[in-house]
């Protein structure tokens, strides 16, 4: 989980903060989320396959939320049969 609020960016894994930074590293412009798979050259030839699975990317603008709040929101979406909402393109 990445939380950017009050001038500090905090990176957490399973609800435990592992790193925080601020100052120059705090976002000054609106941000986007990009997902990518980087494949390296391997010592064999032939076709390769990969499988990237992401259950949810959940973002809240303007406030920090807890892991529990995110989980409740995503669980509610699942219960309602909602498996995709794109709210990142709002102007």
């Amino acid at each position: 989980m990445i939380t950017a609020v009050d001038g500090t960016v905090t990176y957490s894994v399973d609800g435990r903060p592992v790193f925080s930074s601020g100052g120059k590293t705090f976002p000054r412009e609106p941000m986007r989320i990009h997902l990518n798979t980087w494949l390296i050259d391997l010592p064999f030839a032939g076709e390769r396959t990969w499988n990237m699975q992401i259950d949810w990317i959940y973002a809240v603008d303007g406030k920090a939320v807890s892991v529990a709040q995110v989980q409740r929101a995503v669980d509610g979406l699942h219960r309602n049969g909602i498996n995709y909402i794109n709210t990142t393109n709002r102007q």
Side-chain angles (χ1 to χ4, degrees):
M1 179 178 209
I2 301 170
T3 305
V5 67
D6 295 332
T8 301
V9 180
T10 302
Y11 302 83
S12 303
V13 176
D14 294 333
R16 292 192 175 112
V18 294
F19 180 75
S20 291
S21 63
K24 291 182 189 179
T25 62
F26 190 80
R28 294 177 300 278
E29 299 291 331
M31 298 180 69
R32 293 177 179 249
I33 298 169
H34 295 270
L35 301 175
N36 200 346
T37 301
W38 291 82
L39 301 174
I40 60 170
D41 291 332
L42 296 174
F44 57 84
E47 300 228 358
R48 296 184 280 180
T49 61
W50 62 94
N51 184 9
M52 180 189 297
Q53 295 181 351
I54 299 169
D55 186 32
W56 273 92
I57 295 175
Y58 183 84
V60 175
D61 188 22
K63 66 178 182 176
V65 293
S66 70
V67 172
Q69 289 170 306
V70 171
Q71 191 63 57
R72 278 193 301 274
V74 171
D75 289 346
L77 294 166
H78 278 291
R79 271 192 310 278
N80 290 310
I82 299 169
N83 59 16
Y84 175 82
I85 297 173
N86 184 354
T87 60
T88 61
N89 291 325
R90 286 190 259 169
Q91 296 292 327

